[in-house]
Amino acid sequence: MRRIILIGYMGSGKTTVGKALSKETGMMFYDLDWYIESRMHKTVSQIFAEKGEEGFRKIEHNMLHEVAEFEDVIISCGGGTPCFFDNMDYLNQQGDVVYLKATPETLYKHLLMAKIERPLLKGKSAEELIAYITEHLEQREPFYQKARYTLDANVLDDYDKISISVASIRSLLNL
């Protein structure tokens, strides 16, 4: 029975790496945000709009406790998941937590490429976005650093480098 839990700031590559790792290992992959959307029959953006961040975080906490009980899974957490309630301590109890660490500049580039609507970034200019990521990352870093493992996510810009990152995780975790 194994649980691999990927954490890091939004845009760090958790879902991309999680899917690739799942494909190589045959373990089921769960993106926590997708799981929430499936269970709640609403998008994360809709939940944020209806319940605010505090309401979303309560739902996220409950859904985390569901999915983290599954066996032989890879879980990609939302960027804020480790930073609320006792989530980070809980994650470390449940499995092997890997922090995908990236600089604000890399995160900015990844977020621009992804073009996924993210409630916390909506309506920000490029300068505001970089400043927001930098400040937010500084606040979240103490939580992320509690992960047992850290992987440099600054290099996740093509398929070869994603494969190398997956191989690094497999090596770290003896998979």
Side-chain angles (χ1 to χ4, degrees), residues 88-132:
M88 192 60 216
D89 293 331
Y90 176 74
L91 290 169
N92 276 323
Q93 291 168 8
Q94 293 303 105
D96 294 316
V97 181
V98 180
Y99 168 31
L100 300 186
K101 184 174 182 157
T103 64
E105 294 75 25
T106 297
L107 295 168
Y108 172 75
K109 288 177 196 168
H110 288 182
L111 289 166
L112 283 183
M113 285 189 308
K115 295 183 179 142
I116 296 170
E117 188 163 309
R118 301 186 185 255
L120 294 175
L121 303 181
K122 208 172 190 170
K124 290 182 173 42
S125 70
E127 295 78 23
E128 290 170 329
L129 192 51
I130 287 269
Y132 179 84

Coordinates of all heavy atoms in Angstrom, one line a residue, residues 88-132:
M88 N -0.9 19.6 6.3 CA 0.5 19.2 6.0 C 0.9 18.1 6.9 O 1.5 17.1 6.5 CB 1.4 20.4 6.1 CG 2.8 20.1 5.6 SD 2.7 19.7 3.8 CE 4.0 18.5 3.7
D89 N 0.6 18.2 8.2 CA 0.9 17.1 9.1 C 0.2 15.8 8.7 O 0.7 14.7 8.7 CB 0.6 17.5 10.6 CG 1.5 18.6 11.1 OD1 2.6 18.7 10.6 OD2 1.0 19.3 12.0
Y90 N -1.1 16.0 8.4 CA -1.9 14.8 7.9 C -1.3 14.2 6.7 O -1.2 12.9 6.6 CB -3.3 15.3 7.7 CG -4.2 14.2 7.1 CD1 -4.7 13.2 8.0 CD2 -4.6 14.2 5.8 CE1 -5.5 12.2 7.5 CE2 -5.4 13.2 5.3 CZ -5.9 12.2 6.1 OH -6.7 11.2 5.6
L91 N -0.9 15.0 5.7 CA -0.3 14.5 4.5 C 0.9 13.7 4.8 O 1.1 12.6 4.2 CB 0.0 15.6 3.5 CG -1.2 16.3 2.9 CD1 -0.8 17.6 2.1 CD2 -1.9 15.4 1.9
N92 N 1.8 14.2 5.7 CA 3.0 13.5 6.0 C 2.7 12.1 6.7 O 3.5 11.2 6.6 CB 3.9 14.3 6.9 CG 4.8 15.3 6.0 OD1 5.2 14.9 5.0 ND2 5.0 16.5 6.5
Q93 N 1.6 12.0 7.4 CA 1.2 10.8 8.1 C 0.7 9.8 7.1 O 0.8 8.6 7.2 CB 0.1 11.0 9.1 CG 0.6 11.8 10.3 CD -0.5 12.3 11.2 OE1 -1.7 11.9 11.0 NE2 -0.2 13.1 12.2
Q94 N 0.1 10.3 6.0 CA -0.6 9.4 5.0 C 0.3 8.9 3.9 O -0.1 7.9 3.3 CB -1.8 10.2 4.4 CG -2.9 10.6 5.3 CD -3.5 9.3 6.0 OE1 -3.2 9.1 7.1 NE2 -4.2 8.5 5.2
G95 N 1.4 9.5 3.6 CA 2.2 9.0 2.5 C 3.5 9.7 2.3 O 4.0 10.5 3.2
D96 N 4.1 9.5 1.2 CA 5.4 10.1 0.8 C 5.0 11.4 0.1 O 4.5 11.4 -1.0 CB 6.2 9.2 -0.2 CG 6.6 7.9 0.5 OD1 7.1 8.0 1.6 OD2 6.5 6.9 -0.1
V97 N 5.4 12.5 0.8 CA 5.0 13.9 0.3 C 6.2 14.4 -0.4 O 7.3 14.5 0.1 CB 4.6 14.8 1.4 CG1 4.2 16.2 0.8 CG2 3.4 14.2 2.2
V98 N 6.0 14.9 -1.7 CA 7.1 15.4 -2.5 C 6.7 16.9 -2.9 O 5.6 17.1 -3.4 CB 7.3 14.6 -3.8 CG1 8.4 15.2 -4.7 CG2 7.5 13.2 -3.5
Y99 N 7.5 17.8 -2.5 CA 7.4 19.2 -2.8 C 8.0 19.5 -4.1 O 9.2 19.4 -4.3 CB 8.0 20.1 -1.7 CG 8.1 21.5 -1.9 CD1 7.2 22.2 -2.8 CD2 9.1 22.3 -1.3 CE1 7.4 23.6 -3.0 CE2 9.3 23.6 -1.5 CZ 8.4 24.3 -2.4 OH 8.5 25.6 -2.6
L100 N 7.2 19.9 -5.1 CA 7.7 20.4 -6.4 C 8.0 21.9 -6.3 O 7.1 22.7 -6.3 CB 6.7 20.1 -7.5 CG 6.3 18.7 -7.7 CD1 5.4 18.6 -9.0 CD2 7.5 17.8 -7.9
K101 N 9.3 22.2 -6.1 CA 9.7 23.5 -5.8 C 10.2 24.3 -7.1 O 10.9 23.8 -7.9 CB 10.9 23.5 -4.8 CG 11.4 24.8 -4.4 CD 12.5 24.7 -3.3 CE 12.9 26.1 -2.8 NZ 13.5 26.0 -1.5
A102 N 9.6 25.5 -7.2 CA 10.0 26.3 -8.4 C 10.1 27.8 -8.0 O 9.5 28.2 -7.0 CB 8.9 26.2 -9.5
T103 N 10.8 28.6 -8.7 CA 11.0 30.0 -8.5 C 9.7 30.7 -8.9 O 8.9 30.2 -9.8 CB 12.1 30.6 -9.3 OG1 11.8 30.5 -10.7 CG2 13.4 29.9 -8.9
P104 N 9.4 32.0 -8.4 CA 8.3 32.7 -8.9 C 8.3 33.0 -10.4 O 7.2 32.9 -11.0 CB 8.4 34.1 -8.1 CG 9.2 33.7 -6.9 CD 10.1 32.6 -7.3
E105 N 9.5 33.2 -11.0 CA 9.6 33.4 -12.4 C 9.1 32.2 -13.2 O 8.4 32.3 -14.2 CB 11.0 33.8 -12.8 CG 11.5 35.1 -12.2 CD 11.8 35.0 -10.7 OE1 12.2 34.0 -10.2 OE2 11.7 36.1 -10.1
T106 N 9.5 31.0 -12.8 CA 9.1 29.7 -13.4 C 7.6 29.5 -13.2 O 6.9 29.2 -14.2 CB 9.9 28.5 -12.8 OG1 11.3 28.7 -13.1 CG2 9.4 27.2 -13.4
L107 N 7.1 29.8 -12.0 CA 5.7 29.6 -11.8 C 4.9 30.5 -12.7 O 3.8 30.1 -13.2 CB 5.4 29.8 -10.3 CG 6.0 28.8 -9.3 CD1 5.9 29.3 -7.9 CD2 5.4 27.4 -9.5
Y108 N 5.3 31.7 -12.8 CA 4.6 32.7 -13.6 C 4.6 32.2 -15.1 O 3.5 32.2 -15.7 CB 5.4 34.1 -13.6 CG 4.9 35.1 -14.6 CD1 3.7 35.8 -14.3 CD2 5.6 35.4 -15.7 CE1 3.2 36.7 -15.3 CE2 5.1 36.3 -16.6 CZ 3.9 37.0 -16.4 OH 3.5 37.9 -17.3
K109 N 5.7 31.7 -15.6 CA 5.7 31.2 -17.0 C 4.8 30.0 -17.1 O 4.0 29.9 -18.1 CB 7.1 30.8 -17.4 CG 8.1 31.9 -17.6 CD 9.5 31.4 -17.9 CE 10.5 32.5 -17.8 NZ 11.9 32.0 -17.8
H110 N 4.8 29.1 -16.2 CA 3.9 27.9 -16.2 C 2.5 28.3 -16.2 O 1.6 27.7 -16.9 CB 4.2 27.0 -15.1 CG 5.5 26.2 -15.2 ND1 5.9 25.3 -14.3 CD2 6.5 26.3 -16.1 CE1 7.1 24.8 -14.6 NE2 7.5 25.4 -15.8
L111 N 2.1 29.3 -15.3 CA 0.7 29.7 -15.2 C 0.3 30.4 -16.5 O -0.9 30.2 -16.9 CB 0.6 30.6 -14.0 CG 0.7 29.9 -12.6 CD1 0.8 30.9 -11.5 CD2 -0.5 29.0 -12.4
L112 N 1.1 31.1 -17.1 CA 0.8 31.8 -18.4 C 0.5 30.7 -19.5 O -0.4 30.8 -20.3 CB 1.9 32.7 -18.9 CG 1.9 34.1 -18.2 CD1 3.0 34.9 -18.8 CD2 0.6 34.8 -18.3
M113 N 1.4 29.7 -19.5 CA 1.2 28.6 -20.5 C 0.0 27.8 -20.3 O -0.7 27.4 -21.2 CB 2.4 27.7 -20.4 CG 3.7 28.2 -21.1 SD 5.0 27.0 -21.2 CE 5.2 26.3 -19.6
A114 N -0.4 27.5 -19.0 CA -1.5 26.7 -18.7 C -2.8 27.3 -19.1 O -3.7 26.5 -19.5 CB -1.5 26.4 -17.2
K115 N -3.0 28.6 -19.0 CA -4.2 29.2 -19.4 C -5.5 28.6 -18.7 O -6.5 28.6 -19.3 CB -4.4 29.2 -20.9 CG -3.3 30.0 -21.6 CD -3.5 30.1 -23.1 CE -2.4 31.0 -23.7 NZ -2.0 30.5 -25.0
I116 N -5.3 28.1 -17.5 CA -6.4 27.6 -16.7 C -6.8 28.7 -15.8 O -6.0 29.4 -15.2 CB -6.0 26.4 -15.9 CG1 -5.6 25.2 -16.8 CG2 -7.1 26.0 -14.9 CD1 -4.9 24.1 -16.1
E117 N -8.1 28.9 -15.7 CA -8.6 30.0 -14.9 C -8.4 29.6 -13.4 O -8.9 28.6 -12.9 CB -10.1 30.3 -15.1 CG -10.6 31.5 -14.4 CD -11.9 32.0 -14.9 OE1 -12.0 32.2 -16.2 OE2 -12.8 32.3 -14.1
R118 N -7.7 30.5 -12.7 CA -7.5 30.2 -11.3 C -8.1 31.4 -10.5 O -7.7 32.5 -10.7 CB -6.0 30.1 -11.0 CG -5.4 28.9 -11.9 CD -4.0 28.6 -11.6 NE -3.5 27.6 -12.4 CZ -3.2 26.4 -12.1 NH1 -3.5 26.0 -10.8 NH2 -2.7 25.5 -12.9
P119 N -9.0 31.1 -9.6 CA -9.7 32.1 -8.8 C -8.8 33.2 -8.1 O -9.1 34.3 -8.1 CB -10.5 31.4 -7.8 CG -10.6 30.0 -8.4 CD -9.4 29.7 -9.2
L120 N -7.7 32.7 -7.6 CA -6.8 33.6 -6.8 C -6.0 34.5 -7.7 O -5.4 35.5 -7.3 CB -5.9 32.8 -5.9 CG -6.6 32.0 -4.8 CD1 -5.6 31.2 -4.0 CD2 -7.3 33.0 -3.8
L121 N -5.9 34.3 -9.0 CA -5.1 35.1 -9.9 C -5.9 36.0 -10.9 O -5.4 36.8 -11.6 CB -4.2 34.1 -10.8 CG -3.3 33.2 -10.1 CD1 -2.5 32.4 -11.0 CD2 -2.4 33.9 -9.1
K122 N -7.2 35.8 -10.8 CA -8.1 36.5 -11.8 C -7.9 38.0 -11.7 O -7.8 38.6 -10.7 CB -9.6 36.2 -11.4 CG -10.5 36.2 -12.5 CD -11.9 35.7 -12.1 CE -12.7 35.5 -13.3 NZ -13.9 34.8 -13.0
G123 N -7.8 38.6 -12.9 CA -7.8 40.1 -13.1 C -6.5 40.7 -12.7 O -6.4 42.0 -12.7
K124 N -5.4 40.0 -12.5 CA -4.1 40.6 -12.2 C -3.3 40.8 -13.5 O -3.2 40.0 -14.4 CB -3.3 39.7 -11.2 CG -4.0 39.6 -9.8 CD -3.2 38.7 -8.9 CE -3.6 38.8 -7.5 NZ -5.0 38.7 -7.2
S125 N -2.6 42.0 -13.5 CA -1.6 42.3 -14.6 C -0.4 41.4 -14.4 O -0.2 40.8 -13.3 CB -1.2 43.7 -14.5 OG -0.4 44.0 -13.4
A126 N 0.5 41.4 -15.4 CA 1.7 40.6 -15.3 C 2.6 41.0 -14.1 O 3.0 40.1 -13.3 CB 2.6 40.8 -16.6
E127 N 2.7 42.3 -13.8 CA 3.5 42.8 -12.7 C 2.8 42.4 -11.3 O 3.5 41.9 -10.4 CB 3.7 44.3 -12.7 CG 4.5 44.8 -13.9 CD 3.7 44.8 -15.2 OE1 2.5 44.9 -15.2 OE2 4.4 44.8 -16.2
E128 N 1.5 42.5 -11.3 CA 0.8 42.1 -10.1 C 0.9 40.6 -9.9 O 1.0 40.2 -8.7 CB -0.7 42.5 -10.2 CG -1.0 44.0 -10.2 CD -2.4 44.4 -10.5 OE1 -3.0 43.7 -11.4 OE2 -2.9 45.4 -10.0
L129 N 0.9 39.9 -10.9 CA 0.9 38.4 -10.8 C 2.2 38.0 -10.3 O 2.3 37.1 -9.4 CB 0.6 37.8 -12.2 CG 0.4 36.3 -12.3 CD1 -0.7 35.9 -11.3 CD2 0.0 35.9 -13.7
I130 N 3.3 38.5 -10.8 CA 4.7 38.1 -10.3 C 4.8 38.5 -8.8 O 5.3 37.7 -8.0 CB 5.8 38.8 -11.1 CG1 5.9 38.2 -12.4 CG2 7.1 38.8 -10.3 CD1 6.9 37.1 -12.5
A131 N 4.3 39.7 -8.4 CA 4.4 40.2 -7.0 C 3.5 39.3 -6.2 O 4.0 38.9 -5.1 CB 3.9 41.6 -6.9
Y132 N 2.4 38.9 -6.6 CA 1.4 38.0 -5.9 C 2.1 36.7 -5.7 O 2.1 36.1 -4.5 CB 0.1 37.9 -6.6 CG -0.9 37.0 -5.9 CD1 -1.7 37.5 -4.9 CD2 -1.0 35.7 -6.3 CE1 -2.6 36.7 -4.3 CE2 -1.9 34.8 -5.6 CZ -2.7 35.4 -4.6 OH -3.6 34.5 -4.0

